[in-house]
Amino acid sequence: MFPSAMGMWGRRGRGAGGPEQLRARRREQEAALRKARRQQQLVSKRLLREDSLVNGDGQAGEEIAAEPLSDQELLQLLRDVQRGTDERKKLLSRLRQGLQHKETQQKFVRLEGSMRVLTGLFTSSLADVRMEAARCLHELSHSNDPAVAEACLPATSYLLTYLSGHSVEFTELCVYTLGNLAVESETVRKQLLPQGIIPALASCLQSPHVAVLEGLGYLLSQLLQATEAPAKIIPLVLDSALPLHMLRLVSSNLELGMGVAVEFAWCLHYVVCSHVNNGLLISQGIVSTLVLLLLDLASAVVEGATEGLELLLCPVLRCLSNLLAEDEPESCKVQMQDERLLVAVFLFMQRFLQQHPFLVQECLWLLNNLTADEPIFCSALLTLDLLPALLQLLPCSGTVTLLALTVLCNVAEKGPAYCRQLHQKAVLPSLLSTLALSDAQVVGQSLELLHLLFLHLPEAAADFLSQAGLQALAQHRDNPPLQERVRALEERYLQPAAATPVSPIGASAAALPS
């Protein structure tokens, strides 16, 4: 759940509690936010079946799988394929079709010597036989039965060897087969590490072939999502040349295609989320690389080229958000102090609100981390006149509304000058609307924003009363999660004496810092 911000109600004045307590409270909130928005891991399997088939005219075709093979048919196929006849490729093709069925896969791996035969054919000197055997292995790798994946263990060293050389189609097939096997079995991953999969990947990422690079990104992303990745895999990745390759491929201006950039952006996201050594990634330029990429993507949005951009934006925004959520994000914020970044984030929210609302949440999460305890970004948000666009998100309800309110609280925390700007931009009418919602978390964050406004700008309390604010609060007086905060607002700020404007605090406040 998102935090209700109850901890903020004990503050007395701008500096109450001291900067350390403010930072500690912010870290607690960020931890709760991260828990609430944690993405289900994108572990998946991919099947190249259609891509590997052609019709007689040489065009891509779709194959209708044969019926499952019986025990006797499997035995006969294995006998025939070992005889070395000219029919090997045809026999392997028949086997591959049968292996599209779960029951045939399980029968096959239980047959004594079956994997030894298939592995032998996979290492054949005949290219067409080797390719068909690779397709059979690929079908097996797509099984969701760990026993089937582990039966493929004898082939992993050859799959790694074949990552370099041979045809693009064959290499791509080997890459995705390894990725599928790595998803299913920790036993397979344990074997791949000492066999040298990390240096093999680092070497192969210099391939000029887009299809191979995209497959390598898929394989690496599956490894990085493994349960044991933070302890056993990511340290090896960080000690290799892989991070620099990932940054290069993500920032290739999409010359290699969207697929490559998307795969490696997710790889970077998984490494960042592991918190193994984000300082290394920062020193290698991950922040500036991703910020420049976002600016390029914003230019693409302006030009109307938005197809598929959401697939790349999601991991890039998450990477930056999670880097800022570190205990010491100062170095990240220094590298992000570019007003164009804020403009880009708002552009993404405006463009994708209707089609891909999940991206608006990602943008707001980044905006929250940028503005937390950081006057520079709060000032830029106001001086660039981005506040109206933020207020327009409040009626969206749910997580979007909650995050937008959190960003507004970040701004209001900075003191009287900021609160005066919020007040002048008609934040109170927007808050009266959110107070009418039934979502207790949204209402709670609205109450927190009111508290900050009234604390730093007493005349805002008088305006709130004149706009029927007490009636808006009244509906929450008997709501257990909210009643204490409603009572605190009424008693502290909305009594007749307290709500009477005194000397205008904002009149002598310093101008917003540039």
Side-chain angles (χ1 to χ4, degrees):
M1 282 192 169
F2 286 90
S4 63
M6 273 190 86
M8 295 186 179
W9 289 88
R11 285 203 298 266
R12 294 291 184 271
R14 292 181 62 180
E20 286 305 319
Q21 287 188 24
L22 287 173
R23 279 193 289 269
R25 182 168 57 250
R26 176 62 57 189
R27 282 195 293 271
E28 290 173 6
Q29 287 186 314
E30 287 172 348
L33 284 164
R34 282 199 301 275
K35 182 177 180 181
R37 64 185 291 283
R38 185 174 298 144
Q39 173 77 6
Q40 183 177 3
Q41 290 189 329
L42 299 179
V43 172
S44 60
K45 290 195 172 190
R46 300 191 190 173
L47 191 60
L48 302 186
R49 186 182 298 158
E50 287 77 17
D51 292 342
S52 65
L53 301 172
V54 292
N55 295 321
D57 58 1
Q59 299 301 311
E62 183 174 349
E63 180 174 288
I64 299 175
E67 293 298 317
L69 298 173
S70 67
D71 292 343
Q72 189 58 41
E73 286 174 315
L74 268 178
L75 281 169
Q76 191 60 48
L77 270 176
L78 286 172
R79 290 192 191 105
D80 292 344
V81 83
Q82 291 180 81
R83 290 174 182 166
T85 67
D86 294 336
E87 296 294 311
R88 269 184 172 176
K89 181 181 177 183
K90 184 177 179 181
L91 292 168
L92 283 169
S93 178
R94 176 73 183 95
L95 174 62
R96 171 171 53 82
Q97 293 174 43
L99 289 174
Q100 293 175 19
H101 299 276
K102 179 179 179 179
E103 51 266 49
T104 304
Q105 294 171 349
Q106 293 174 337
K107 289 176 185 177
F108 181 80
V109 298
R110 286 198 298 263
L111 276 176
E112 185 178 354
S114 60
M115 287 305 303
R116 186 182 69 250
V117 172
L118 185 56
T119 303
L121 294 167
F122 181 52
T123 60
S124 168
S125 58
L126 301 173
D128 57 346
V129 172
R130 188 168 58 239
M131 177 65 83
E132 278 304 319
R135 288 172 180 156
C136 289
L137 282 169
H138 187 62
E139 290 293 343
L140 288 170
S141 76
H142 202 252
S143 170
N144 58 7
D145 183 348
V148 175
E150 290 172 20
C152 297
L153 282 172
T156 57
S157 61
Y158 300 108
L159 285 164
L160 283 173
T161 300
Y162 290 150
L163 290 185
S164 55
H166 301 280
S167 71
V168 173
E169 183 185 358
F170 184 75
T171 303
E172 184 185 14
L173 199 59
C174 291
V175 168
Y176 281 102
T177 300
L178 280 169
N180 289 344
L181 293 174
V183 169
E184 198 60 55
S185 170
E186 184 178 355
T187 303
V188 172
R189 295 192 296 271
K190 283 183 178 179
Q191 178 162 298
L192 288 172
L193 290 176
Q195 285 178 339
I197 190 169
I198 301 303
L201 284 171
S203 174
C204 293
L205 283 181
Q206 300 178 56
S207 170
H209 304 295
V210 172
V212 172
L213 289 172
E214 188 170 342
L216 291 167
Y218 162 72
L219 168 54
L220 182 57
S221 72
Q222 304 313 298
L223 291 170
L224 293 173
Q225 291 177 83
T227 305
E228 72 276 13
K232 299 180 180 178
I233 298 175
I234 292 176
L236 296 176
V237 169
L238 291 173
D239 286 341
S240 72
L242 282 174
L244 290 174
H245 285 306
M246 287 189 277
L247 291 172
R248 171 179 60 84
L249 293 168
V250 164
S251 62
S252 59
N253 294 322
L254 304 185
E255 294 169 3
L256 297 173
M258 180 69 71
V260 173
V262 169
E263 294 291 354
F264 286 100
W266 280 112
C267 288
L268 287 170
H269 166 69
Y270 299 134
V271 175
V272 167
C273 286
S274 74
H275 302 288
V276 172
N277 188 357
N278 285 342
L280 175 64
L281 292 175
I282 293 170
S283 71
Q284 292 178 337
I286 185 173
V287 176
S288 56
T289 295
L290 297 183
V291 168
L292 289 174
L293 177 58
L294 285 181
L295 297 180
D296 287 342
L297 295 178
S299 298
V301 169
V302 171
E303 294 168 5
T306 60
E307 185 177 355
L309 285 188
E310 75 280 358
L311 301 175
L312 180 55
L313 277 170
C314 186
V316 172
L317 290 166
R318 287 190 179 192
C319 266
L320 290 174
S321 295
N322 283 303
L323 285 168
L324 285 168
E326 295 282 313
D327 287 342
E328 296 182 6
E330 285 76 13
S331 60
C332 292
K333 288 189 176 181
V334 168
Q335 295 180 54
M336 291 189 202
Q337 287 179 5
D338 188 331
E339 291 183 346
R340 294 175 301 168
L341 176 59
L342 282 181
V343 176
V345 169
F346 275 87
L347 180 63
F348 298 143
M349 290 195 290
Q350 179 182 18
R351 175 60 183 82
F352 294 106
L353 177 60
Q354 299 303 322
Q355 282 186 304
H356 305 293
F358 73 93
L359 264 187
V360 177
Q361 296 181 34
E362 301 297 339
C363 289
L364 286 169
W365 172 245
L366 175 58
L367 194 58
N368 170 57
N369 285 355
L370 283 171
T371 54
D373 301 321
E374 185 53 69
I376 291 176
F377 292 104
C378 293
S379 298
L381 193 151
L382 296 171
T383 56
L384 294 172
D385 200 26
L386 298 173
L387 185 60
L390 189 60
L391 293 177
Q392 288 174 9
L393 296 174
L394 293 183
C396 291
S397 77
T399 305
V400 169
T401 302
L402 186 59
L403 281 169
L405 285 166
T406 304
V407 174
L408 290 169
C409 285
N410 291 343
V411 176
E413 273 187 317
K414 304 306 179 289
Y418 295 84
C419 287
R420 181 169 293 281
Q421 288 273 345
L422 292 175
H423 189 39
Q424 291 172 350
K425 295 293 184 181
V427 72
L428 284 181
S430 297
L431 286 178
L432 287 167
S433 298
T434 59
L435 287 173
L437 299 175
S438 59
D439 188 325
Q441 291 181 316
V442 168
V443 173
Q445 200 73 345
S446 302
L447 296 176
E448 168 65 9
L449 182 52
L450 285 173
H451 159 68
L452 291 166
L453 286 170
F454 300 163
L455 173 68
H456 296 301
L457 201 67
E459 58 261 43
D463 287 347
F464 183 73
L465 285 173
S466 69
Q467 296 177 41
L470 280 179
Q471 291 91 318
L473 291 177
Q475 61 186 310
H476 304 295
R477 285 174 185 153
D478 298 323
N479 189 335
L482 302 171
Q483 57 189 10
E484 269 190 47
R485 283 175 283 173
V486 169
R487 184 163 52 250
L489 272 179
E490 291 176 337
E491 292 177 356
R492 184 173 180 186
Y493 301 112
L494 301 176
Q495 298 298 318
T500 301
V502 290
S503 59
I505 289 183
S508 60
L512 290 173
S514 60

